[in-house]
Amino acid sequence: MATETPQKHVEAPLVSVGKTVSYDAVDSSSGAKTTMSVTFQGVKYVTASEISAVKPKGRYAVVTVEVTNTGGKDGGFHPYGKMKWEGKGTAVQGVATMDSTGTQSVDTTYHPGEAVTGDIVLDVPRKGGTVSYYDGTGPASVAFAMPAK
């Protein structure tokens, strides 16, 4: 009878406002690996009307990030459908939206050395908590410590 090796729990690097973290990214089409860095520049909590939300509901967080490919191969950062919020006493839930603030989109493939600064609009249940970005099917690649104020 074979025994299974327990899987090692991997924590995503936690980034707070004003800080930068790096993670290993894998291109979903080619399987190539590179290193990406994300700088969490800020967050602003807004109402649906402030961003002209397509399907107004809940509370919105506009997260401003700078994404940079610091590796040697192409790498993607595609937040829509790959971001989840969690907070004390609340189940983990998807929060990505297709809403935009009109800034440059960070949802793209980056060549080595390329960087983009822009906003990601999230539909969060409340202020605070943690928003995690899942680059692939494994554990989260980056976690954002969302301010409660």
Side-chain angles (χ1 to χ4, degrees):
M1 182 169 151
T3 59
E4 290 186 27
T5 305
Q7 291 208 351
K8 181 179 171 186
H9 179 68
V10 179
E11 289 283 330
L14 183 64
V15 62
S16 56
V17 174
K19 304 293 182 187
T20 301
V21 296
S22 294
Y23 67 94
D24 293 327
V26 179
D27 183 276
S28 60
S29 60
S30 70
K33 295 180 182 180
T34 195
T35 304
M36 304 290 286
S37 72
V38 178
T39 302
F40 187 9
Q41 294 187 340
V43 64
K44 180 179 178 185
Y45 294 101
V46 298
T47 64
S49 63
E50 288 177 278
I51 59 166
S52 301
V54 176
K55 295 181 179 180
K57 64 181 178 110
R59 176 186 313 272
Y60 293 85
V62 177
V63 176
T64 304
V65 296
E66 178 181 0
V67 180
T68 306
N69 182 339
T70 56
K73 298 188 179 186
D74 287 355
F77 184 82
H78 306 287
Y80 300 103
K82 296 184 179 181
M83 299 191 82
K84 295 183 180 182
W85 182 93
E86 63 184 292
K88 191 172 186 165
T90 304
V92 175
Q93 54 195 279
V95 292
T97 72
M98 294 301 291
D99 293 304
S100 171
T101 61
T103 63
Q104 190 168 359
S105 175
V106 294
D107 186 349
T108 192
T109 298
Y110 296 76
H111 300 299
E114 285 186 330
V116 172
T117 300
D119 294 335
I120 304 167
V121 179
L122 305 173
D123 181 1
V124 296
R126 64 176 181 270
K127 294 179 181 181
T130 303
V131 171
S132 298
Y133 167 67
Y134 294 82
D135 182 48
T137 57
S141 299
V142 177
F144 300 90
M146 301 290 284
K149 297 179 182 178

